[in-house]
Amino acid sequence: MLSLSELLGVFLAQSADNCERRQLRLLCEPGFDRGKVRVELGRHANSDPVIYDKLVADTYKVELKGKKLVLNAKIPRIVKRYEEAFNALGLEFYKTRPAREFMSLIGADPAKVLTADSTKRFQAIIKELSARYEKMKNVASFR
C-alpha cells in the first residue's frame, strides 16, 4: 500500500495526453515531446519476410499441418498477408504467437532472427534513444 505522500507524488507526476501530441503535467514541463518522434507504421524492425515465415511456420505447425498458406504479395504488410491467408483457410491468426517466438529467440540467439540490416536498424534506434535520454535526464522533471 502506498503512503499518502507516495500517492500524491504519483498523482502529480502522471502525464495526460491533450490529443495534440503533447503531454500535460501538473507543475512541470513535459520531459519528452512525442511530437518530435518519427514513427514508421507498417514497417517492422525485422522486415525480412523469410524469417517471419519461419516464425509463423514454427508457431502454427499443428494448425497448418496438411494445409497450404497462399500469401497475397500485393498486401504490403506482412501480418495482414497472414491474416488474409489464415482467414481463407478458416483459421484465426494471432500475431502475438510469432512475436512471442521472436522475443524468445532474440533473447537466446539473436543471429537466428535478425538479419544484418535489422541489427543495424536496432543499433540506430538504441543509439538515438540513448542520445535523447542523455539530453533529457537533466531536465527538472527527471531529478
Side-chain angles (χ1 to χ4, degrees), residues 49 70-82 84-85:
V70 179
L71 300 175
N72 184 349
K74 294 180 181 178
I75 299 174
R77 295 181 61 189
I78 296 170
V79 172
K80 294 296 181 189
R81 286 182 206 164
Y82 277 98
E84 182 181 276

Side-chain angles (χ1 to χ4, degrees), residues 76-94:
R77 295 181 61 189
I78 296 170
V79 172
K80 294 296 181 189
R81 286 182 206 164
Y82 277 98
E83 287 174 349
E84 182 181 276
F86 271 67
N87 283 338
L89 294 175
L91 299 171
E92 190 75 30
F93 179 70
Y94 298 100

